[in-house]
Amino acid sequence: MASYSTNEFKAGLKVMLDSDPCAIIENEFVKPGKGQAFNRVKIRNLKTGRVIERTFKSGDSLEAADVVDVAMQYLYNDGDFRHFMVPDTFEQYQCNEKAVSDASKWLKDQDMCTVTLWNDSPLSVTPANFVELAIVETDPGVRGDTSGGGGKPATLETGAVVRVPLFVQQGEVIKVDTRTGEYISRVKE
Amino acid sequence: MQADWQPTCSIELLHLRAQILAEIRSFFLTRAVLEVETPLLSYSSGTDPQLDFFTTDYCSYPLQQTLYLQTSPEFAMKRLLAAGSGCIYQICKAFRNGESGRNHNPEFTMLEWYRVGFTLTQLMDEIAELIALLFKERASLNATQRINYQDLFFKYTGLDALLFNYDDYCAFALKSQSLDAIELCKTDHNAWLDFIFSHHIQPSLGKNALCMVYGYPACQSSLARINKDNSKVTDRVEIFINGIELGNGYYELTDAQEQNQRFDEEILVRQQNSRPVIVKNTHLIAALDAGLPECSGMAIGLDRLLMVLTSNKHIDDVIPFSLARS
């Protein structure tokens, strides 16, 4: 496997650190005019999601991690695993709950999402930035409210709970930003 | 989206840079400090163990020679001082290979000046006056701070910067979640000082103020003179504003023999770290031998000065074309 020098570190680069696949978030070159050059690097551990800060001597290198993001379609949940498919090749992957983690509450059958593979096995799942899901439960709306000042909780078909404006009714389909978990708009059927 | 032919800094910044250059020249003119020019290309380079240089080839058949782009104009300017130039300054380009980042571009603009007969304290007074002049009516600055390196180091870490106690330093690394330091620095006192200073001290220095740190540990003396009252410290000053290192000054070493010895030591360190081999600058040794007047000298990175003046966070924002667009 190739390796990368600190000079090549940039946001998004995938490297191996302490035997775990990691993604570089930020790389800062630090050098006192008369002193040793360092690279202060912010790295996300792709297995745990934790962000750590590490310092390297400039010129040191890390092994590249075989990590790729692949667009896949979510198929179904068999109780133990969730199954995904690459639409072009029909190749299927199964992910355990740990890899799916928080993404599970946004995953609806047939929806597209991103599966991150490490050495060809699923490491994590990222839902699309925006998803459209039906509301299965929410309190009846208040007549006349169109602004939705305070809002109310609504449970979606995938189990996620988001705050929606008061005028939004049970059974309606809404658009949600999965990165923030915020309601965006109603979707006209 | 900017196209690659376009400058990375604004047109306003070009104007500001021109004004700053004019004010610096006028500052030194009124003080009778002579502006000089020295070669950017030289047959040798500094031996600083932490600097990498650019080389180029001089070709005039049958003569072919490797030339170095200067990492600073220090050696040539000291030769002028030894030749009797009196106080001098220069605004020029300096080149440092491999240095690229938020605060670094491999080619940058430097202001360097030497004051014959000045002590380090007198030089620090002049630095403060120059900075105050350049900031006046452009950005507000709080009162100038002057801090001794040892006191500063103790204040932030509880460690003695002049006395290397490996266990204490490791304990600090544990406490400050800098475990990397233990592996990177091992038992190299210098490396520890660089690590701790750049990670835990420098970012807090000079909050909206000029902060001058003086009295560096002797192991970080470079071309500064060892203090005559305390051989553990060196007469060197570094200046910071908002956590950014702007420049470095010395009460200059005038002893040819000691300079020669430091060159040899630095060349040895370079060899141990497998850095490119370098021949020492014998012209400088000869000039010191002939007699360098007692003097103090300072170098300031003008691009970084423009950064702090305009609160820009990246050097590319204050230079027309960064290396990537050169």
Side-chain angles (χ1 to χ4, degrees):
Chain A
M1 199 79 203
S3 65
Y4 294 107
S5 145
T6 53
N7 303 322
E8 300 170 283
F9 286 7
K10 57 172 192 282
L13 190 75
K14 312 290 196 300
V15 292
M16 295 298 297
L17 183 66
D18 305 331
S19 316
D20 276 352
C22 296
I24 298 208
I25 300 173
E26 204 178 280
N27 174 25
E28 181 159 21
F29 178 72
V30 177
K31 184 182 184 305
K34 302 284 168 189
Q36 166 76 49
F38 300 107
N39 285 71
R40 289 184 83 169
V41 186
K42 264 195 194 146
I43 306 180
R44 172 175 284 113
N45 182 316
L46 295 172
K47 270 170 116 175
T48 63
R50 273 188 59 205
V51 174
I52 51 168
E53 198 169 286
R54 290 285 289 264
T55 299
F56 301 91
K57 259 186 186 158
S58 291
D60 282 357
S61 56
L62 287 177
E63 199 186 309
D66 181 13
V67 172
V68 283
D69 291 333
V70 184
M72 293 192 202
Q73 188 175 36
Y74 171 55
L75 300 178
Y76 62 94
N77 180 357
D78 70 8
D80 294 325
F81 295 98
R82 290 182 187 250
H83 296 260
F84 297 82
M85 181 181 73
V86 184
D88 300 342
T89 61
F90 306 108
E91 197 176 352
Q92 292 195 13
Y93 290 87
Q94 56 176 30
C95 299
N96 57 26
E97 282 304 318
K98 193 169 155 242
V100 179
S101 81
D102 286 349
S104 65
K105 66 180 179 186
W106 305 115
L107 288 177
K108 191 176 76 172
D109 299 1
Q110 318 304 323
D111 274 0
M112 291 301 292
C113 59
T114 303
V115 177
T116 303
L117 299 175
W118 174 38
N119 296 333
D120 209 37
S121 52
L123 190 63
S124 64
V125 177
T126 313
N129 289 345
F130 299 101
V131 292
E132 294 178 356
L133 297 168
I135 297 176
V136 294
E137 196 189 334
T138 189
D139 291 338
V142 180
R143 243 185 138 71
D145 181 283
T146 50
S147 67
K152 59 182 178 179
T155 308
L156 308 179
E157 57 185 308
T158 52
V161 177
V162 296
R163 286 198 81 75
V164 299
L166 298 177
F167 61 79
V168 177
Q169 306 296 334
Q170 193 164 311
E172 285 190 283
V173 177
I174 60 165
K175 187 174 174 183
V176 182
D177 186 332
T178 59
R179 294 161 296 185
T180 58
E182 280 171 9
Y183 164 89
I184 300 293
S185 65
R186 279 194 290 189
V187 179
K188 296 252 157 60
E189 290 284 337
Chain B
M1 192 62 190
Q2 269 201 321
D4 275 355
W5 67 266
Q6 291 178 305
T8 48
C9 76
S10 64
I11 301 299
E12 290 78 46
L13 232 129
L14 299 181
H15 284 272
L16 177 65
R17 179 181 285 263
Q19 286 164 11
I20 293 290
L21 291 180
E23 284 174 27
I24 292 171
R25 290 197 159 99
S26 139
F27 177 86
F28 286 115
L29 184 67
T30 56
R31 288 162 186 245
V33 180
L34 182 70
E35 177 163 13
V36 296
E37 284 190 4
T38 56
L40 299 183
L41 283 174
S42 166
Y43 83 96
S44 87
S45 180
T47 50
D48 190 314
Q50 306 294 356
L51 290 184
D52 284 321
F53 36 76
F54 286 91
T55 58
T56 186
D57 296 318
Y58 176 64
C59 306
S60 173
Y61 186 80
L63 179 69
Q64 185 154 9
Q65 193 182 10
T66 298
L67 294 177
Y68 299 86
L69 281 165
Q70 69 176 6
T71 53
S72 101
E74 182 158 7
F75 294 174
M77 289 181 80
K78 283 183 174 169
R79 285 161 62 191
L80 293 181
L81 290 162
S85 66
C87 299
I88 49 174
Y89 80 98
Q90 172 159 218
I91 295 171
C92 63
K93 286 295 181 80
F95 304 84
R96 297 181 182 180
N97 212 338
E99 299 194 3
S100 198
R102 209 157 58 79
N103 297 324
H104 294 82
N105 191 60
E107 171 183 345
F108 61 100
T109 305
M110 200 174 228
L111 161 67
E112 183 147 331
W113 80 95
Y114 291 87
R115 289 299 234 143
V116 175
F118 269 35
T119 61
L120 195 68
T121 314
Q122 286 172 299
L123 182 72
M124 285 162 68
D125 292 341
E126 186 160 75
I127 295 165
E129 285 164 41
L130 176 64
I131 296 291
L133 173 82
L134 299 178
F135 272 73
K136 196 175 154 196
E137 286 164 26
R138 292 203 173 93
S140 65
L141 270 192
N142 298 325
T144 298
Q145 304 153 6
R146 299 180 185 220
I147 313 169
N148 170 297
Y149 188 102
Q150 190 180 15
D151 294 344
L152 183 69
F153 208 81
F154 184 78
K155 182 180 149 196
Y156 280 90
T157 65
L159 297 170
D160 186 346
L162 305 184
L163 192 77
F164 181 55
N165 182 315
Y166 179 71
D167 292 339
D168 288 351
Y169 276 55
C170 285
F172 174 77
L174 278 169
K175 198 175 69 185
S176 60
Q177 299 183 332
S178 300
L179 289 172
D180 297 333
I182 298 172
E183 195 190 326
L184 292 180
C185 306
K186 299 187 174 73
T187 55
D188 181 349
H189 185 198
N190 241 327
W192 274 99
L193 294 176
D194 284 339
F195 188 105
I196 295 173
F197 196 89
S198 60
H199 285 62
H200 298 290
I201 301 175
Q202 188 182 323
S204 323
L205 294 181
K207 288 262 154 59
N208 244 349
L210 172 65
C211 175
M212 301 202 246
V213 182
Y214 62 93
Y216 272 67
C219 59
Q220 303 220 322
S221 50
S222 197
L223 280 81
R225 199 185 300 210
I226 297 295
N227 187 279
K228 65 180 194 320
D229 301 321
N230 182 356
S231 63
K232 283 186 178 151
V233 303
T234 184
D235 289 331
R236 173 181 160 194
V237 63
E238 284 250 5
I239 65 169
F240 305 87
I241 296 178
N242 287 331
I244 294 189
E245 180 192 13
L246 290 179
N248 179 65
Y250 306 134
Y251 182 40
E252 303 292 346
L253 180 66
T254 52
D255 184 329
Q257 217 181 335
E258 187 175 345
Q259 183 62 68
N260 196 27
Q261 196 186 327
R262 285 194 199 177
F263 275 165
D264 288 339
E265 287 164 7
E266 290 189 337
I267 287 170
L268 193 67
V269 174
R270 288 189 73 90
Q271 282 168 350
Q272 286 163 350
N273 297 336
S274 339
R275 284 191 185 254
V277 186
I278 186 122
V279 286
K280 70 181 150 194
N281 193 309
T282 47
H283 287 326
L284 179 70
I285 306 287
L288 295 188
D289 224 7
L292 180 71
E294 300 281 313
C295 63
S296 291
M298 181 72 194
I300 290 181
L302 289 186
D303 309 301
R304 289 196 195 161
L305 186 71
L306 283 165
M307 281 172 68
V308 295
L309 255 174
T310 53
S311 304
N312 272 305
K313 295 281 175 259
H314 203 293
I315 195 166
D316 291 0
D317 298 332
V318 301
I319 55 179
F321 301 109
S322 62
L323 187 69
R325 292 202 188 172
S326 63

